[in-house]
Amino acid sequence: MSDRGGTTDQAGSMEGRSFGASRISLRHMLWGLVLALVLPAIVIACAGFYSVYRAERQATDLRVQDITRAMTLSLDREIEKTETAMRILASSPHLRTGDFAAFYRQAKEAGLPEPAWVVLTGMDGKVLLNTRVAYGTPLPDSIRPDTIRRIQQTRRTELSEFAVRPITEQRLVTLDVPVVVADRVAYVLSTAIGSEVFQKLIQDQRIAEGWSASVLDQSGKIVARSREPEHFIGQYVRPGLLQAIASSAEGNVESMTLDGIPVRTYFNRSEAYGWSFIIGLPASETAAALWRPLLWLLGLAAVLIAGGVLAAILSRSIASPVDRLVASAQALGRGEPVDGPPTRVLEFEAIRNALAEASTAIRSQKQSREEVLAHVAESEARLRLALGAGELGSWEYNPSTGEFLTSPMCRANFGRAPDEPFTYMDLVAAIHPDDRPKQAEAVAHAMANRTDLHVEYRAIWPDQSEHWIRISGRTRLSPDGSLSMVGVSQDVTEGREADERQALLLHELNHRVKNTLATVQSVAAMTRRAAEAGDPYAWDAFIGRLQGLAKTHDLLTSTSWSGALLEDVLRSELDPYQDALRQRIRFRGPKVNLQPSAVLALGLAVHELATNAVKYGSLSAENGRLSVMWAVTSGPGPALLLVEWTERGGPLVKKPERQGFGTKLIQRGLAQQLGGDIKLDFAPAGVRCVITFPIESVLIAAEVADEEEKRFA
């Protein structure tokens, strides 16, 4: 027996050691948790800080590149300003009459930027005048015969490279403009632009301290520089940068400045003149962008190390209370006093065993009560969840006693505060007077037949706003034998309003589609008759009218079909024919907002007038001009909108022998649809069309009074 007992004890001891060896202590679990949190945080932090560095680098690249692009545009504008002034001088009538003295005075007053001057040279190389000296002073012949001969052949303006002029010893750029007289190049008009102009352009931009900015000519020679310009103006930039500028219009490249500073150079080359603007960002600033995330990363590492030390301290603090908790749970399970020294056991397993023993001892006493409470709590939770999800308010009504119980949501459906008293009489008083009979009949029918209650009616809130309420209920017998009703309430105002809006939108969409199809059908029918009459351009005209109609639809769509400005309708059709200076076609008139129907009709009319002007009228000639003016007029009769279309500078106009399709379309679209009056005058100098509309048929009513004050005639 003793052998058997010893064997059993030994086996139990081995089993305990084996079971213990497979467990993990609480301290190890805490360290594992710390590592599981720290390692992903380190990886994510590294990736995040690298992403921040990349984002900051990209933001710097975009910002500096935008600066170079803006500076190149400023450089172009500066040169274009001088070129424009020279072209104006080149068109001077004094040059065509040979009055060089008068031209000399005109050139002196041209207002070119200092220290520029103007030189006029003949095709034989003779310098006729120079505003740098008094008129009549003997002048040497030009030293640039090749340039004069090339300009005579190409008839193009040339901008020279930056160089030091042998006579004046000034660092200049020369702008040469051909002077055409009687369809030949008779003279070359030249001006010299000093580097001071471009140096001032850089100084005005206030380039950041430490950066270097430069203006380069076509060959890569420095024309102006923000740092030490006296030492570097006239020198070429490094070959690597020249190659990068030649291969791309803009970008950035790692390079070295002429004064030996490593930089990241951002450049932008002008497409018009071939000049470039560059900004050198020191490599030290680029490295600073990397150091900031690195410092944050080091700070994070320090925090993580401190967290590890704190985790070690906490693990030691947690282990002892857990041991005491295990001992207390075991004592509670045996019914013994909770005292005595702590027992050295593995934490999680000991807690599990202790709680199991304690729960077994008290389960029989609490099981029944807990099951009932759990079922009740679960049912109440489900009910609250369902009512809250559906925004439903609950109510109970007992007709025999008049008792009326409501939930806060139910009171909120009728505009009451959660704690505000709300009786059944209050409910009836809140119902819209027109809906009270319907509600009373529904309740009486449900109570008499013991059926479900379903009714919707309008409720008037204390703030006098109107809301739609849906009521659902069911009858039941109360414990005292009386018949009562319970149910829910729901505010369905938004759903009702959404249904009404949807019906209105569908009706409006149907109306607009019908109007558009009617317009297309009318244009197609008239185009067909034109094609049958032998018009070879009928199909192209039809496509053009559809495209014009599409533009007008796009204009209305951008305003959600609430109308459009008259000027926007005109620009939508006429902007394709406008010149760069916006002088060929001029608009003049007050701000007038047209109704959608007027936008469609006027858009087709303007399209027809523009098409006729491009084919036969003023827009078919290079010097042709078009003027569109409009005004809101008032008088003894109803207010009118007057639109005047005037062409000039085009071919000689002849009155057509028959009324064309475009004229018919204008009259049908404007006269029939809007009640307008159209007058076409085919004067030899240019077509003139005057269109008059009644204000109420074309303008949005709210704007008529405001525009009356701003109108002009």
Side-chain angles (χ1 to χ4, degrees), residues 673-686:
Q673 295 182 18
L674 303 177
D677 181 32
I678 299 94
K679 293 182 180 179
L680 277 170
D681 180 15
F682 295 93

Side-chain angles (χ1 to χ4, degrees), residues 420-628:
E420 183 178 349
F422 190 58
T423 65
Y424 190 75
M425 296 304 296
D426 295 332
L427 179 140
V428 174
I431 299 175
H432 194 283
D434 295 341
D435 295 344
R436 289 175 188 171
K438 177 174 63 174
Q439 184 266 350
E441 181 182 355
V443 173
H445 181 272
M447 295 296 291
N449 299 287
R450 298 192 179 184
T451 57
D452 292 343
L453 171 67
H454 297 288
V455 63
E456 288 187 11
Y457 49 73
R458 291 166 291 177
I460 307 300
W461 282 19
D463 61 1
Q464 300 305 311
S465 61
E466 186 176 291
H467 296 258
W468 279 93
I469 308 298
R470 177 181 296 160
I471 300 295
S472 299
R474 176 166 295 179
T475 58
R476 71 168 185 176
L477 286 176
S478 300
D480 58 358
S482 61
L483 189 63
S484 63
M485 181 174 288
V486 295
V488 294
S489 64
Q490 184 180 20
D491 188 337
V492 294
T493 305
E494 291 185 1
R496 282 269 188 165
E497 292 177 351
D499 293 341
E500 293 175 0
R501 286 195 299 270
Q502 183 178 13
L504 179 62
L505 289 175
L506 288 175
H507 176 74
E508 182 66 18
L509 177 61
N510 183 47
H511 176 69
R512 291 175 182 172
V513 169
K514 286 182 178 179
N515 288 344
T516 301
L517 290 178
T519 302
V520 173
Q521 183 180 9
S522 176
V523 173
M526 297 180 72
T527 303
R528 178 184 177 184
R529 288 195 291 271
E532 291 174 349
D535 185 356
Y537 304 104
W539 175 252
D540 293 338
F542 177 65
I543 295 300
R545 291 174 184 118
L546 290 184
Q547 291 174 347
L549 185 61
K551 288 181 181 179
T552 307
H553 270 259
D554 289 342
L555 188 61
L556 287 172
T557 301
S558 65
T559 63
S560 300
W561 281 77
S562 61
L565 294 178
L566 173 58
E567 185 174 353
D568 291 342
V569 177
L570 294 170
R571 291 188 182 278
S572 175
E573 291 292 342
L574 297 176
D575 269 358
Y577 314 112
Q578 182 67 279
D579 61 349
L581 298 177
R582 308 193 72 81
Q583 298 297 316
R584 190 181 191 190
I585 302 175
R586 294 195 175 185
F587 304 102
R588 187 180 179 192
K591 181 179 179 182
V592 174
N593 203 356
L594 300 177
Q595 300 175 8
S597 59
V599 172
L600 292 173
L602 188 60
L604 283 175
V606 173
H607 174 78
E608 293 301 326
L609 290 171
T611 302
N612 185 72
V614 171
K615 288 183 178 181
Y616 316 109
S618 61
L619 297 184
S620 65
E622 181 178 356
N623 296 325
R625 296 292 184 269
L626 171 62
S627 173
V628 184

